[in-house]
């Protein structure tokens, strides 16, 4: 990492610095992961942009974070991989960059459980999006012992803002 990159990283929120350090230690190909509560604090304070990578159908019928942006990682009920994902995400991220900011925006990717968004973060990093983070636990959380989501983790479980069509 160059001196300029190290200097910039030192200006990031401590939670992002910790996520980057953990990701480097784990050998992740993207900047890192954050739990939903920390992700929301960054979004709410204007330090990050939240991009939902679930399908349009999931967002409509399960719910979504107000004012979140959307680029589907996969489409339809069969979850066919979106071949334009990296291009669409890069275009959306470039629109979020502030004209006077010399550094790229912090991008947080959200899916149902944090698994697709981790894959999406990997693809985004490969496409050159530097500060891309996965929102672990996702919107609905992990499946519990009775095959249901939302009972012990996830965006909605933590009582974070969401709306439903």
């Amino acid at each position: 990492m160059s001196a300029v990159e190290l200097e910039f990283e030192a200006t990031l929120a401590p939670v992002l610095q910790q996520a980057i350090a953990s990701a480097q230690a784990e050998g992740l190909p993207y900047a890192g992961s954050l739990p939903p509560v920390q992700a929301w604090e960054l979004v709410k304070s204007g330090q990050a942009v939240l991009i939902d990578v679930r399908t349009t159908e999931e967002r409509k019928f399960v719910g979504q974070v107000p004012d979140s942006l959307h680029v589907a990682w996969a489409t339809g009920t069969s979850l066919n991989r979106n071949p334009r994902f990296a291009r669409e995400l890069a275009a959306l991220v470039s629109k979020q960059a502030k004209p006077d900011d010399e550094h790229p925006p912090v991008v947080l990717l959200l899916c149902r459980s944090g698994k697709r968004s981790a894959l999406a973060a990997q693809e985004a990093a490969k496409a050159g999006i530097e500060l891309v983070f996965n929102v672990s636990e996702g919107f609905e959380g992990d499946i519990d012992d009775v095959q249901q989501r939302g009972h012990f983790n996830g965006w909605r479980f933590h009582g974070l803002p969401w709306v439903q069509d």
Side-chain angles (χ1 to χ4, degrees), residues 19 23 27-34 49-54 71-74 81-82 85-86 89-90 93 106-111 114-136:
L28 294 178
Y30 51 91
S33 291
L34 297 169
V49 59
L50 182 66
I51 301 176
D52 194 328
V53 299
R54 295 175 300 151
V71 177
W73 169 251
R81 173 84 161 66
N82 176 2
F85 174 78
L89 182 64
V93 169
V106 173
V107 177
L108 309 176
L109 301 182
L110 177 72
C111 72
K115 293 174 182 54
R116 277 181 285 166
S117 52
L119 294 172
Q122 185 173 338
E123 186 70 22
K126 201 183 329 179
I129 299 172
E130 297 172 42
L131 294 173
V132 62
F133 295 82
N134 173 42
V135 178
S136 61

Side-chain angles (χ1 to χ4, degrees), residues 56-76:
T56 300
E57 294 84 0
E58 285 174 289
R59 286 171 50 89
K60 179 169 180 56
F61 296 115
V62 178
Q64 60 189 293
V65 178
D67 301 321
S68 62
L69 303 174
H70 179 240
V71 177
W73 169 251
T75 59

